Amino acid sequence: QVQLVESGGGLVQPGGSLRLSCAASGSIFSINNMGWYRQAPGKQRELVAAITNGGYTNYADSVKGRFTISRDNAKNTVYLKMNSLKPEDTAVYYCNAEVRGTWFDERLYDYWGQGTQVTVSS
């Protein structure tokens, strides 16, 4: 089994910054893509940003230029630095990882964190 543990959420004023972290642990041979998703009340979960194990990144249009995703492969950790936060960024943020559990099984399994609340309000 694999666990993803997120941290770094909280309450911040508009224009402020936060940094989310998500550490993966457990039966991990390698991790392919890692990403951050968010879900606001009454809305569907949406992709915020993703990063491959080679460092290629992809962002939702709504966060381009404000958010930066990065990862530390040695620590199996993904980060999301969020700048210039807006009230519409308020949501529960979830991390996701595509994990290969063993060297002899090439299948990738999807894992999710428990979510961390980000609230942007004055």
Side-chain angles (χ1 to χ4, degrees):
Q1 281 294 334
V2 173
Q3 297 78 41
L4 301 182
V5 178
E6 299 136 339
S7 61
L11 173 65
V12 64
Q13 292 186 343
S17 298
L18 283 175
R19 186 192 192 215
L20 306 182
S21 300
C22 174
S25 63
S27 181
I28 299 171
F29 176 76
S30 64
I31 301 178
N32 193 20
N33 296 332
M34 301 185 82
W36 289 95
Y37 290 73
R38 67 187 180 187
Q39 187 166 19
K43 294 187 177 182
Q44 289 189 330
R45 189 174 297 190
E46 63 175 357
L47 174 68
V48 176
I51 184 168
T52 68
N53 55 8
Y56 180 81
T57 59
N58 182 41
Y59 296 92
D61 288 343
S62 59
V63 306
K64 282 180 180 177
R66 300 188 298 122
F67 291 10
T68 302
I69 189 171
S70 60
R71 65 190 283 176
D72 184 333
N73 290 332
K75 296 181 179 179
N76 290 330
T77 299
V78 63
Y79 306 95
L80 185 69
K81 182 63 187 305
M82 304 183 293
N83 296 326
S84 302
L85 282 161
K86 304 175 181 180
E88 50 264 43
D89 295 317
T90 296
V92 178
Y93 284 70
Y94 299 89
C95 73
N96 170 265
E98 298 175 347
V99 177
R100 177 177 171 179
T102 62
W103 67 269
F104 52 83
D105 184 354
E106 295 184 354
R107 290 177 293 181
L108 296 173
Y109 297 89
D110 237 16
Y111 291 94
W112 292 88
Q114 79 285 357
T116 185
Q117 177 70 46
V118 171
T119 303
V120 184
S121 175
S122 55

